Amino acid sequence: MFRHRFLLILYPAQGHINPAFQFAKRLVSLGAHVTVSTTLYMHRRITNKPTLPALCFLPFSDGYDDEQLRDLDVETKPRILVNTFEALEAEALRAVDEFNMIPIGPLIPSALLDGKDPADTSFGGDIFRPANGCDEWLDSKPEMSVVYVSFGSFCVLSKTQMEELARALLDCGSPFLQRFKLVYPGSLSLYVDQKMQKVSLKVMF
């Protein structure tokens, strides 16, 4: 039986790893064999990797094997797979002439999307320790009432930006879950911090 083979090379960042793992699982469910490759440093950090018969991992050394990242040369008008869908961002997908962006999303576990695979309930591939208390806090809120705010694992907000964002979130009147990199301890004013403790959950890494 002929089986398509795919090599997925992951950019070593949390926001890229989870959707890529989900894409790999979808390809495997269609009968393909998938090899996932990322840097040795990132491969060692990833926990709970997906385990499927037709999915294997092949890490490579980028010459640094630590947190440093390398720029990759790209071909003329390369095809880029994007974790979005046409109906949501049709204009954005055609906004950059230099790239041929192909939507393949939303790349989220099947149990949370279409229910075709009830066992597929999580991404797998965490590089940060899971936050405690998130599920319980979310379960205590009404359905579809929580605003989620995250700037990824690289972006660092200034003290001014943190304060402005906090005030805007408080003004929206909805409970919110925010995930950010803690660089400026005590960066919020006491007034704002006290108000946020009543309506939000902060997850720091």
Side-chain angles (χ1 to χ4, degrees):
M1 176 181 173
F2 177 78
R3 172 175 282 182
H4 289 284
R5 302 182 68 90
F6 291 85
L7 171 63
L8 302 184
I9 302 177
L10 281 54
Y11 185 79
Q14 181 70 81
H16 292 254
I17 289 170
N18 281 349
F21 277 8
Q22 198 61 36
F23 184 44
K25 288 189 288 185
R26 287 196 187 178
L27 291 173
V28 169
S29 70
L30 295 173
H33 183 282
V34 180
T35 300
V36 174
S37 185
T38 189
T39 63
L40 275 170
Y41 171 80
M42 190 56 62
H43 180 78
R44 291 166 181 163
R45 290 190 64 190
I46 297 173
T47 60
N48 60 299
K49 300 180 182 72
T51 54
L52 297 171
L55 176 64
C56 65
F57 297 90
L58 183 65
F60 62 89
S61 172
D62 62 354
Y64 293 94
D65 295 345
D66 55 23
E67 288 194 17
Q68 291 177 288
L69 306 176
R70 303 180 68 185
D71 293 331
L72 300 177
D73 294 329
V74 295
E75 63 186 69
T76 302
K77 200 172 177 67
R79 283 182 289 182
I80 299 177
L81 305 182
V82 186
N83 183 16
T84 187
F85 52 98
E86 182 79 21
L88 179 66
E89 297 184 285
E91 185 176 344
L93 287 166
R94 296 166 181 78
V96 183
D97 292 335
E98 290 81 4
F99 303 124
N100 179 18
M101 293 189 283
I102 302 172
I104 58 171
L107 293 174
I108 60 177
S110 176
L112 306 177
L113 180 64
D114 52 23
K116 292 180 179 179
D117 183 2
D120 182 21
T121 59
S122 66
F123 288 101
D126 296 322
I127 62 173
F128 297 105
R129 189 177 303 169
N132 294 323
C134 284
D135 291 345
E136 293 81 0
W137 185 84
L138 287 169
D139 288 342
S140 71
K141 307 302 176 187
E143 186 175 350
M144 301 178 68
S145 68
V146 177
V147 176
Y148 176 64
V149 182
S150 174
F151 289 90
S153 54
F154 287 114
C155 181
V156 177
L157 300 181
S158 67
K159 291 184 178 181
T160 301
Q161 290 172 322
M162 290 279 289
E163 180 85 13
E164 290 178 352
L165 176 62
R167 290 182 180 275
L169 289 169
L170 288 171
D171 288 344
C172 80
S174 298
F176 54 92
L177 171 64
Q178 54 176 335
R179 181 175 177 84
F180 59 92
K181 182 171 288 188
L182 182 62
V183 177
Y184 305 108
S187 59
L188 300 178
S189 65
L190 180 61
Y191 169 76
V192 170
D193 195 47
Q194 288 176 340
K195 290 195 69 175
M196 289 182 67
Q197 290 179 21
K198 298 178 181 179
V199 296
S200 72
L201 179 65
K202 293 184 288 185
V203 180
M204 296 167 285
F205 59 90

